[in-house]
Each structure stands twice: as C-alpha cells, then as structure tokens.
Amino acid sequence: MTADLVGRLGQIVGPAGLISDPGGMAGHVTDWRNAYSGTAAAVVRPGDTGEVAAVVALCRDAGVAVVPQGGNTGLCGGAVPDSSGRQVVLSLTRMRRIRDLDVANQTITVEAGAVLQSVQEAAAAAGRLFPLSLGAEGSCTIGGNLATNAGGTAVLRYGTMRDLTLGLEVVLPDGRIWNGLRGLRKDNTGYDLKQLFIGAEGTLGVITAAVLKLFPAVRSRATAWAALPGPQGAVDLIGVLREIAGDRLTGFEIMSRQSVEFVLRHSSGARDPFGDQHPWYALVELSDTLPHAGLDEVIEAALGEAFDRGAVRDAVIASGSAQATALWALREGISEAQNHEGPSLKHDVAVPVSRIPAFVERTDRALREAVPGIRIVTYGHVGDGNLHYNLSKPVGSDDEEFLVRAEALARLVYDSTHAFHGSISAEHGLGHSKREIIADYADSHGLDLMRGLKQLFDPRGLMNPGKVLPGL
Ligand code: FAD
Ligand code: 2HG
Ligand code: ZN
C-alpha cells in the first residue's frame, strides 16, 4: 500500500518533489535540535497550491496522515512525523514565490515556503519593512511562522504573526482550497477564519500563501545594553522608555548573567560590554522612520532617568551598526550557546510584565531547592512578558540524571507560571512537547471547543495528528 501511495504522490509532484530514500528524508524527520525524531513513508515537496491539494486529497483517501513542514526550526516537535513510518511529510520549501508586493496597500503576498529573511529582503528592496524578526529567520518559513504564530524580537512594536496577517490561502484536510487571500484591513464579513489557522501548528490545514502587512522602512535606530540589579529594574526601565520614547521603543530583551556567560564562553568574538559582572542585562532598541530622529539622545535620556531611579547600574549605547550587531549577537547567541552545556530544558512562558520580578524570584527559588547548582538560563522578550526559562544541569553532573528530572522541573516552572496567570507556551506552540500537559493548565471548556474545531475541520484526524491535542 505504501509503495503504491508513494508512486502516486510522485506522479503529482514529479521527481523533483519526492524524497523517499532514508538518507534524503533524514533532515525532515528529526527536528533542529535532535530532540524529536520519527520516520516517514515519504517527504513530498509540491511546487504549487494545486499540487498541495492533490497530495492532501490522495492521503485523505488512503487514510494516511500528513505532517506540514516548513524550515523545521520549530522548538516543540510539531513538524516531525511519528515513528510509525506511515505518515507523509509535506514540505512547503519549493513554494517560495513572492506573488505580489503592493506598496500603496502596504502588503506583500507570499507563498508559505518563503524563508522569512527573503520576505524581509523583498520588503526592504521596495523601501518597506516586514518586521517579524527572530533568530531562525535565515531558515524558518512564513508558513511555519504563521502556523506557530511566531513572535520574536519586534512584537513589542509590531505584534506577532497574528497581527501581521491580512489573508491566507489554505488547503483544508479534505483537499479543498480555501481562498482567504484578501489584503484588507477592514473586513467584517463573519468569522475571522484565518485566525483559526494561525497558531494551529498545521492541525487544521496546510497554509499555502499569505497576505502580510508591510510598514514604512526604518531609517534610524539606537541600540543600548544596560546592566540591571534585577528583573524589577527591567520593569522600571521599560516604564521609563515608554514614557520618553513612546512607540519608538521597538525591542526590549532581558538576559540573566548565566545566559550571557554561556554566550561569552561559546561564541567566538563575543565580548562583555562591561568590566564588572551584573546579575541581569537589558537590550533596548529604538527605531524611527526619520533618518535623523535623534534616537541616541532619546535613549540616553531614558537610561539616565532609569539610572537615577536605581533601575539601571550601567549602560552602553552602540556607536554604530557594527556595535549594535555585536550587542544583538550576545542576545541571539544564547539558544545556541546553551546547547554546549548539555541538555537544555526549555520553558517558553509568559506572565504579565508587572509580575515578572515576583515570578522570577519564586521560580528561581523553587528550582534551586529542587536541584542545587542548577543553571537557570532565563532570557527573553520581556517587553511582551515572554521569558525563556531554560535550564542546564549543574556543573559536573550527569546528563541522564538531569533529564530524569525534566518533567518535574517543567511542572515546577509551569505551576509557578500558572500561579501568576501566565501561559505555558508564549510563542513556540504546543506541538508534541506540551500536548499532554496543556490539559492541566488550560480552561477545560476551551479545550473542548478546540477538540470540536479539530473534529469539524479534520474529522478523520489526518492533519498533523498528535500535535497540540493528544490523540486527535
Ligand atoms: P516548522 O518547524 O517546519 O514547523 C513548525 C510548525 O508549523 C509545525 O507544527 C508544522 O507542522 C507547522 N507548519 C509549518 N509549515 C506549515 C504550513 N505551511 N501550513 C501549516 N502548518 C505548517 N519562535 C518565536 O516565536 N520567536 C523566536 O524568537 C524564535 N526564535 C527561534 C530561534 C531559533 C534559533 C530557532 C531554531 C527557533 C526559534 N523560534 C522562535 C521557533 C519558531 O517556531 C520557528 O523558528 C519558526 O516560526 C518555525 O518556522 P518553520 O518554517 O521552521 O516551521
Ligand atoms: C529566542 O528567543 C527563541 O531566542 C529561542 O525563541 C528560545 O531556544 C529557546 O528556548
Ligand atoms: Zn523567543
């Protein structure tokens, strides 16, 4: 049956679009950090929406599950097939055309397999900005960004993928094509269907194209690195920045000392901007559409005010784009640097910004009591209340011993998050990794509604089954 199906899939996508040898499939059946692995009957790479629809319809008729995949950079196992060897990975990576760029309408229409960076570059070439920005932007795709409702470092100013999307084209689980590719900022014609597919992690359909919002190009930036006494300093500093810089505040990230130490240790060329060590740091970015907006003066005034209030201990303002890039590298390098220190236990959580200091204090204390010497690598997009509460084993301890504690440590971080009315998945999704545990933290009626939607869209349970909701 499988050989016959693979042959028929090949007829739809042609030789360039079919991978069925284990070597060729390897990069599609294991995730970016080797945390999730499966096997597949085949990987298909359709060239257009019609081919996607034909593949989905064929798999539906054969009772075979489809796993949509973009750049495979997701962090919760959502794009990886199970180990049955019966699922088909549907990779969108051949569908990367920019279908339209409408400067007057401030929109760009792109296919789902377009790499995020290529969309940023296409917008820039037209004198516009597509603002989604994240560490994996050189390989993640717009489809994956949409399916995970990706956030990143500019959410504070521009929002998540949900906020950046005007229309979608989606192949439904039965192979029909829903054409919702509208570039309208006003459209009150019933339910907002596109929002159901955004953040659904490929469980309700395959996104094949999107109309995205563009913004005026940024013509000046100011970037600063500040040393903070603690997380309360971050909350105070962001308050001052909002007062003084208004909506020119574009990015606000924080990092614990432990996070920065890992980057200094493992990234060649990384340098501590200060002679002294500090417990926490903030990376601040202001931007403006005017070429000479005087942002250095604005950021300096804000940092001075925060210093006077005791929120900041020290600060440097980047003297040019090379220094700004070096400061961002200290932040963007954390995820990679942590991999050199043994397993990273990742917890992508959000709490209200005002509660972050108390949340960090309580969570750190509980973690240190549970595992003395644990290295807590807390950093993130704190302007949105989003912290990556990642953990590394104590120095000199055993990987296995630490991994055995993974579930208990996750429970501890999520219990604390829940106590502060937070979310146990701020921006990465549920995928495979949180599909069970979400039931302990979500409203049960909400979960029932989600199961009902899944049943409505995908009654045969063949669209990325086992992701987001267990057993569906
Ligand atoms: P994949 O990993 O291929 O897929 C992710 C999910 O989307 C899967 O469930 C998959 O089935 C589904 N999917 C993919 N394409 C489609 C489609 N066309 N239709 C339907 N479903 C689809 N995330 C953030 O939010 N903010 C960050 O700052 C951030 N930084 C990161 C930094 C690094 C170094 C890495 C490795 C990841 C980071 N991520 C971040 C995780 C983030 O989810 C992904 O980078 C990105 O959004 C996923 O895109 P992708 O194309 O790789 O999707
Ligand atoms: C980031 O903000 C990403 O750097 C990755 O969301 C976080 O690796 C992580 O846990
Ligand atoms: Zn992040």
Side-chain angles (χ1 to χ4, degrees):
M1 192 289 283
T2 302
D4 178 45
L5 177 76
V6 173
R8 290 165 68 198
L9 288 169
Q11 283 167 6
I12 296 170
V13 295
L18 182 73
I19 309 172
S20 55
D21 64 295
M25 289 196 287
H28 295 274
V29 297
T30 300
D31 76 332
W32 175 78
R33 49 188 187 117
N34 280 325
Y36 299 92
S37 208
T39 52
V43 175
V44 284
R45 300 174 66 227
D48 60 33
T49 304
E51 289 184 11
V52 175
V55 165
V56 170
L58 177 63
C59 290
R60 196 271 314 248
D61 292 346
V64 167
V66 167
V67 180
Q69 190 180 84
N72 198 13
T73 67
L75 294 171
C76 46
V80 173
D82 68 12
S83 52
S84 67
R86 283 182 50 82
Q87 299 190 329
V88 168
V89 173
L90 197 166
S91 166
L92 279 296
T93 45
R94 276 177 72 215
M95 290 180 55
R96 44 178 184 244
R97 282 188 313 135
I98 308 286
R99 289 192 190 165
D100 184 45
L101 196 155
D102 185 339
V103 172
N105 197 41
Q106 298 265 76
T107 51
I108 186 166
T109 305
V110 300
E111 292 186 342
V115 169
L116 171 56
Q117 192 174 324
S118 71
V119 176
Q120 295 166 341
E121 286 166 359
R128 293 292 180 273
L129 172 76
F130 180 64
L132 189 79
S133 177
L134 48 95
E137 63 199 18
S139 38
C140 65
T141 63
I142 291 298
N145 301 150
L146 286 158
T148 58
N149 183 27
T153 52
V155 170
L156 191 60
R157 169 91 170 262
Y158 298 100
T160 64
M161 267 314 249
R162 257 186 220 296
D163 305 298
L164 298 175
T165 307
L166 293 174
L168 288 185
E169 177 188 85
V170 179
V171 171
L172 302 171
D174 59 8
R176 284 178 297 162
I177 300 168
W178 173 59
N179 186 347
L181 269 189
R182 288 150 77 93
L184 303 173
R185 282 168 172 82
K186 285 190 165 180
D187 181 14
N188 283 349
T189 51
Y191 305 134
D192 192 354
L193 296 175
K194 67 178 179 297
Q195 293 297 349
L196 291 175
F197 298 101
I198 301 174
E201 300 180 61
T203 59
L204 300 181
V206 184
I207 298 166
T208 48
V211 185
L212 305 171
K213 288 183 194 170
L214 297 178
F215 295 81
V218 161
R219 294 200 177 76
S220 56
R221 285 182 202 280
T223 309
W225 182 264
L228 311 174
Q232 184 60 49
V235 176
D236 295 342
L237 175 57
I238 200 169
V240 172
L241 282 159
R242 282 197 165 115
E243 277 165 33
I244 294 181
D247 66 3
R248 286 172 291 186
L249 178 59
T250 315
F252 191 97
E253 303 280 313
I254 64 166
M255 294 118 304
S256 64
R257 174 69 199 176
Q258 182 68 79
S259 315
V260 175
E261 246 163 47
F262 281 177
V263 181
L264 294 172
R265 191 175 307 158
H266 298 294
S267 298
S268 58
R271 204 182 57 81
D272 192 336
F274 304 121
D276 301 327
Q277 292 188 12
H278 299 276
W280 288 82
Y281 302 92
L283 179 57
V284 178
E285 187 162 286
L286 307 187
S287 65
D288 203 296
T289 53
L290 295 172
H292 306 290
L295 293 181
D296 280 354
E297 289 74 33
V298 176
I299 210 166
E300 202 176 330
L303 288 166
E305 175 67 27
F307 186 85
D308 291 344
R309 295 190 198 179
V312 164
R313 286 180 168 179
D314 203 351
V316 289
I317 299 171
S319 58
S321 63
Q323 205 185 352
T325 304
L327 294 177
W328 271 104
L330 282 174
R331 159 63 183 92
E332 297 283 15
I334 300 171
S335 190
E336 169 65 28
Q338 197 184 0
N339 290 338
H340 296 277
E341 297 281 339
S344 311
L345 305 185
K346 291 184 181 293
H347 309 98
D348 162 41
V349 301
V351 296
V353 175
S354 52
R355 313 295 305 276
I356 281 175
F359 168 65
V360 170
E361 197 196 322
R362 170 182 162 155
T363 313
D364 276 10
R365 193 179 340 108
L367 287 166
R368 294 207 163 94
E369 276 167 18
V371 179
I374 193 167
R375 289 173 299 166
I376 305 176
V377 185
T378 314
Y379 62 100
H381 324 286
V382 81
D384 325 319
N386 179 188
L387 287 176
H388 299 304
Y389 229 110
N390 296 352
L391 307 173
S392 289
K393 64 181 183 175
V395 175
S397 74
D398 186 65
D399 282 6
E400 288 312 313
E401 242 172 67
F402 188 56
L403 285 170
V404 165
R405 312 289 304 270
E407 212 180 308
L409 292 171
R411 179 69 67 185
L412 197 153
V413 175
Y414 297 148
D415 282 352
S416 181
T417 305
H418 194 58
F420 283 87
H421 307 291
S423 165
I424 69 157
S425 179
E427 60 171 6
H428 296 159
L430 298 174
H432 182 280
S433 58
K434 295 180 185 171
R435 62 185 183 167
E436 312 278 352
I437 205 165
I438 185 63
D440 295 337
Y441 299 101
D443 175 79
S444 63
H445 301 311
L447 284 176
D448 282 347
L449 286 171
M450 279 169 56
R451 286 189 201 98
L453 281 172
K454 174 69 177 168
Q455 177 67 23
L456 176 72
F457 278 77
D458 183 23
R460 298 190 190 189
L462 295 174
M463 190 51 71
N464 212 4
K467 312 291 167 51
V468 179
L469 294 163
L472 291 174

